[in-house]
């Protein structure tokens, strides 16, 4: 029987890859792991405990109805970041504005975290996989001062780490620090994330496509051309692909990481900028996809090259296996 490697052991072993960070990045990742274990526990209680399931009764900055678990997860992660000592500020999909932490320790923190505390929240009440997505940057403002909007609006290329937690049939944490992608599965019996998917690579191609096809007639014509290609016998596989759309980006992305596939959320006439958020969803998943050999683009430009201009910016998002994303892009005008 081979020895189990826990997330903490793995992080410590890899710490040497970040001589400049002197353990700070390791501590942030450990804080994220602890917060996500708490959220995972709460997710597993949904349906049993009244304060977990259902709508919060508020509309968030995205114009979407907040679920109770959106708020629980948001607060849990903010608490972990505020008290960890390495983070000077955060921005979250659930909050109107970014938060600059005010304690002296936090003001000296060198990093900011941007995150989607609960992704796929419309799936909570129906017991379908949901997740958390995070992105870590070094601050650009001076240490000892309050975090600024500029700290939050950095180009995706500047990420020093990114990851996601999938609360699926098991709970997994997958992350990259720019040296490949590794996945850890939570063993609830010992309360530890254990290395289960070392050095993850996204297959170059696959036979699954994920898109909300209810939108097909309100997208640009190239999208319909690509979906028709997926459904045709004249495609690269000589047979129709399988359509798979969970409606939780993390879960759709994770499936594509393992099996190969493409995820498409284009701009539509009703969401002219696209639906997914650049800072909390697209940038972190783009970083992971590229580290695993995949691609992430708006259809025209590489996601990681976009200079953000506002916190809750949305973009069209095509992400997944390299050859499939290239094919989709080739059919756009
Ligand atoms: P969130 O729950 O964080 O608001 O994200 C929902 C996102 C994403 O997870 C999913 O792929 C997509 O929105 C689903 O949108 P549609 O219901 O429009 O297909
Ligand atoms: Mn989301
Ligand atoms: Mn969310």
């Amino acid at each position: 029987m081979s020895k189990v490697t826990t997330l903490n052991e793995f992080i410590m072993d890899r710490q040497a890859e970040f001589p400049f960070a002197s353990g700070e990045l390791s501590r942030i990742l450990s804080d994220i792991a602890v917060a996500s274990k708490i959220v995972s526990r709460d997710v597993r209680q949904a349906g049993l405990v009244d304060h977990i399931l259902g709508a919060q009764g508020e509309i968030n900055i995205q114009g979407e109805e907040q679920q109770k678990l959106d708020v629980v997860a948001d607060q849990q992660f903010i608490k972990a970041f505020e008290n960890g000592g390495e983070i000077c500020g955060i921005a979250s999909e659930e909050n109107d504005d970014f938060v600059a932490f005010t304690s002296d320790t936090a003001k000296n923190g060198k990093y900011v975290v941007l995150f989607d505390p609960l992704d796929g929240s419309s799936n909570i009440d129906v017991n379908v996989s949901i997740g958390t997505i995070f992105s870590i940057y070094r601050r650009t403002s001076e240490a000892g001062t309050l975090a600024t909007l500029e700290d939050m609006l950095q180009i995706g290329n500047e990420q020093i780490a990114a990851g996601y937690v999938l609360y699926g049939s098991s709970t997994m944490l997958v992350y990259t620090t720019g040296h490949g992608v590794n996945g850890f599965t939570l063993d609830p019996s010992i309360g530890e994330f254990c290395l289960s998917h070392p050095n993850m690579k996204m297959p170059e191609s696959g036979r699954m496509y994920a898109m909300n096809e209810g939108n097909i007639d309100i997208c640009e014509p190239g999208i319909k051309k690509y979906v028709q290609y997926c459904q045709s016998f004249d495609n690269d596989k000589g047979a129709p692909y399988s359509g798979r759309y969970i409606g939780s980006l993390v879960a759709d992305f994770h499936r594509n990481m393992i099996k190969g596939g493409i995820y498409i959320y284009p701009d539509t006439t009703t969401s002219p900028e696209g639906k997914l958020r650049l800072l909390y969803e697209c940038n972190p998943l783009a970083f992971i996809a590229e580290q695993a050999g995949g691609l992430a683009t708006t259809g025209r430009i590489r996601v990681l090259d976009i200079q953000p201009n506002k916190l809750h910016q949305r973009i069209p998002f095509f992400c997944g296996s390299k050859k499939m994303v290239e094919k989709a892009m080739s059919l756009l005008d």
Side-chain angles (χ1 to χ4, degrees):
M1 197 169 67
S2 59
K3 184 192 170 299
V4 168
T5 302
T6 68
L7 175 64
N8 277 337
E9 286 171 337
F10 187 87
I11 291 172
M12 292 307 158
D13 289 350
R14 295 291 179 100
Q15 199 160 290
E17 285 171 359
F18 303 95
F20 60 85
S22 60
E24 291 155 340
L25 184 58
S26 303
R27 285 196 289 276
I28 298 170
L29 291 168
S30 300
D31 289 343
I32 290 174
V34 173
S36 62
K37 281 187 220 175
I38 296 171
V39 173
S40 176
R41 181 203 60 198
D42 290 345
V43 167
R44 305 298 175 203
Q45 300 270 312
L48 295 171
V49 184
D50 181 51
H51 68 275
I52 299 289
L53 199 65
Q56 174 81 0
E58 306 278 333
I59 302 294
N60 69 9
I61 181 75
Q62 318 289 340
E64 294 157 357
E65 186 178 46
Q66 272 183 326
Q67 300 297 308
K68 289 179 190 169
L69 206 51
D70 283 321
V71 178
V72 169
D74 191 44
Q75 289 170 351
Q76 200 60 56
F77 281 101
I78 292 180
K79 207 161 43 167
F81 296 138
E82 184 159 25
N83 296 321
E86 333 295 338
I87 310 285
C88 60
I90 60 99
S92 152
E93 185 189 279
E94 294 303 326
N95 297 307
D96 300 10
D97 209 350
F98 71 94
V99 180
F101 298 141
T102 52
S103 76
D104 286 342
T105 321
K107 278 198 281 184
N108 279 305
K110 297 197 190 92
Y111 302 89
V112 293
V113 183
L114 291 84
F115 63 105
D116 177 357
L118 224 288
D119 173 66
S121 35
S122 68
N123 277 326
I124 301 169
D125 288 359
V126 292
N127 212 342
V128 170
S129 299
I130 48 183
T132 296
I133 313 174
F134 61 89
S135 172
I136 305 174
Y137 295 82
R138 205 164 300 120
R139 75 186 297 175
T140 53
S141 58
E142 218 175 297
T145 62
L146 288 173
T148 63
L149 181 60
E150 286 66 42
D151 291 329
M152 310 294 160
L153 297 184
Q154 296 188 55
I155 193 164
N157 265 329
E158 295 293 334
Q159 290 174 99
I160 57 163
Y164 61 84
V165 183
L166 173 62
Y167 313 103
S169 43
S170 59
T171 295
M172 274 196 77
L173 189 152
V174 174
Y175 80 96
T176 183
T177 52
H179 300 268
V181 183
N182 290 282
F184 301 79
T185 302
L186 181 62
D187 180 341
S189 68
I190 57 169
E192 295 276 5
F193 282 107
C194 301
L195 182 62
S196 52
H197 295 63
N199 196 21
M200 295 172 83
K201 292 284 173 222
M202 199 180 257
E204 268 211 327
S205 186
R207 26 181 347 128
M208 290 188 204
Y209 71 101
M211 179 191 165
N212 181 342
E213 284 184 71
N215 291 333
I216 199 80
D217 285 334
I218 53 169
C219 302
E220 60 181 295
I223 303 292
K224 200 177 228 172
K225 276 193 231 158
Y226 181 66
V227 169
Q228 279 167 350
Y229 172 83
C230 293
Q231 296 172 344
S232 141
F233 281 90
D234 289 328
N235 62 27
D236 60 332
K237 307 283 185 308
Y241 297 174
S242 291
R244 291 280 189 282
Y245 188 70
I246 298 168
S248 292
L249 172 61
V250 172
D252 280 309
F253 179 88
H254 184 71
R255 187 197 54 249
N256 291 342
M257 275 285 281
I258 307 250
K259 298 201 165 183
I262 185 169
Y263 178 95
I264 304 173
Y265 209 116
D267 52 321
T268 63
T269 51
T270 51
S271 301
E273 293 171 349
K275 172 171 187 191
L276 297 172
R277 276 81 19 160
L278 172 61
L279 298 181
Y280 320 114
E281 297 173 317
C282 305
N283 267 339
L285 295 184
F287 188 20
I288 296 167
E290 287 198 4
Q291 283 291 315
L295 286 182
T297 161
T298 62
R300 268 94 195 169
I301 44 171
R302 180 176 173 246
V303 170
L304 296 179
D305 286 336
I306 300 172
Q307 173 60 56
N309 53 39
K310 60 179 179 192
L311 274 183
H312 301 294
Q313 187 170 345
R314 296 170 191 262
I315 59 162
F317 192 52
F318 297 66
C319 182
S321 293
K322 185 168 177 289
K323 288 194 169 149
M324 299 175 87
V325 175
E326 283 169 350
K327 178 69 190 177
M329 283 171 75
S330 76
L331 294 177
L332 300 179
D333 293 327

